[in-house]
Amino acid sequence: QVQFAESGGGLVQPGGSLRLSCAASRIIFRLYTLAWFRQAPGKQRELVASMTRDGTTIYADSAKGRFTISRDNARNIMYLQMNSLKPEDTAVYYCNTDSGSLDWGQGTQVTVSS
């Protein structure tokens, strides 16, 4: 059973922007703090940003000031607005609970390159 469906990735030039989307079930949105993670080739998966149901956010240092996490609890969609993208942001991006406790989706590839 697919619990998360990520979309919105692509190829973008340095300095560009992308908005990622994550769809999940209503029960997941109701129960969990949700987060975006990313995994670059040869590296461990890392947390990028998280958001509680009431809107409290946490960002990795690498994301602060450039990325914005948001969630639409009525539509069961979470977003990650990414601005001023850098080549080091290249990774597969995933959504999950903030502890990564549920099954991982396929992720969405973000490639930042000129």
Side-chain angles (χ1 to χ4, degrees):
Q1 179 179 353
V2 176
Q3 294 182 301
F4 297 100
E6 302 93 345
S7 61
L11 173 63
V12 63
Q13 292 188 340
S17 298
L18 282 174
R19 188 177 81 155
L20 307 183
S21 299
C22 168
S25 70
R26 182 166 59 92
I27 192 68
I28 287 175
F29 268 76
R30 179 182 295 174
L31 293 180
Y32 293 103
T33 293
L34 298 177
W36 284 98
F37 297 79
R38 68 185 182 187
Q39 187 167 20
K43 294 189 177 181
Q44 288 191 332
R45 189 174 287 156
E46 62 177 359
L47 187 143
V48 175
S50 66
M51 189 173 197
T52 65
R53 290 188 70 252
D54 63 3
T56 301
T57 58
I58 295 175
Y59 291 94
D61 287 344
S62 60
K64 287 178 183 176
R66 300 188 300 125
F67 294 1
T68 302
I69 187 172
S70 61
R71 56 191 284 173
D72 185 337
N73 291 328
R75 297 180 62 206
N76 306 324
I77 299 177
M78 182 172 66
Y79 302 99
L80 185 68
Q81 177 67 43
M82 304 188 296
N83 300 326
S84 303
L85 283 162
K86 305 175 182 179
E88 51 263 43
D89 295 318
T90 295
V92 179
Y93 285 71
Y94 302 87
C95 54
N96 207 309
T97 69
D98 62 335
S99 61
S101 60
L102 300 178
D103 290 341
W104 295 92
Q106 301 250 348
T108 186
Q109 175 71 48
V110 172
T111 303
V112 184
S113 175
S114 55

